[in-house]
Amino acid sequence: MSNIVSINAQNFQQVLGETSQQKLVLLNFYSAQSPECINQAAILDKLAAEYNDYIVVANLDCDAEQALASQLAQQVGLQTLPTLVLLKDSAPVDVLSGAQAEAQIREALAKHLPAQQDLLLEQAKQALLKSDLNAAFNYAKQAYEIDNSNARIKLVLADICIQIHKVDEAQALINTIDAQEQDTYFNNIKAKCEAALEAKDSPEIKEKQQQVEKYPNDLELKEELSVLLNEAGRKEEALDVLFTVLQKDLNFNEAKPSFLAIIASLPDGDALAAKYRRKLYSILY
């Protein structure tokens, strides 16, 4: 992992100096012979993965690098192993002596890193850039659950909701933005939401609904209606129409694959997905 490094006489000045100007460096004094050190190293590996863009874990093996360890130990007043020193801008900002629980290390990190909701929001933006809408939605949703008054979080979440066809949820979020926070980004998201809402009730959908009402036993018409509903983001209605098709003929055209594809397009943990999986199982078994 790129943000986990082993400290030695050749690289310690660069890591503890230059690198700490850009990221928070966690200098980990440890011994491979100590179970406490090994346990804490596992926690640091986990945190390094979670805060990849914000921290660097710099491991100093005090057995292998005795001279360097002795030199640095005098500077930080090292008394026991493991000891974790947090460095920012080339200077120690915190020292954690002895084995630490994950919660204790997180508490120390929180003093020197952006707030958790800001980290999650940044992860949501990065996922959006990669077109990973599922991950983006989950990150933004978590950020919103931590701070549901933050206008930027609400707008990013609304933007994602529009893209995954949760337009009503997007509209509800937009409606909570105070006037003084309605900037250019707000106007952009609002316009996207209004366009998406308009598309939800297109003339094509209305015409197809009328045909289905006129010919209620025409499964092909229902399948065509479900396609239009899904494209407009009306996923629950699309699933409901397809389910009526599957109740009549479980193997009709592409009804079952389409049904499963819509479920798969929903975010992880979406209640709608669970609901319609159960409905499908009810006629499968």
Side-chain angles (χ1 to χ4, degrees), residues 80-97:
T80 185
L81 295 178
T83 287
L84 193 62
V85 181
L86 277 59
L87 297 108
K88 195 171 186 179
D89 297 327
S90 305
V93 292
D94 211 341
V95 178
L96 304 178
S97 296

Side-chain angles (χ1 to χ4, degrees), residues 225-251:
L225 174 59
S226 74
V227 171
L228 293 174
L229 290 170
N230 183 45
E231 290 175 348
R234 296 164 64 172
K235 292 182 179 291
E236 183 166 13
E237 293 172 84
L239 286 167
D240 202 47
V241 171
L242 279 176
F243 184 69
T244 64
V245 174
L246 294 173
Q247 284 180 306
K248 292 286 187 180
D249 184 349
L250 194 57
N251 297 305

Side-chain angles (χ1 to χ4, degrees), residues 50 52 57 65 73 81 88 95 104 120 122 154-155 163 180 185 199 213 230 237 253 270 279:
E50 186 173 336
N52 181 61
V57 174
E65 300 287 342
L81 295 178
K88 195 171 186 179
V95 178
Q104 292 173 299
L120 288 164
E122 184 59 33
K154 288 191 279 190
L155 287 172
Q163 295 186 56
Q180 64 269 25
Y185 183 49
E213 288 175 7
N230 183 45
E237 293 172 84
N253 287 350
D270 194 294
K279 287 174 75 75

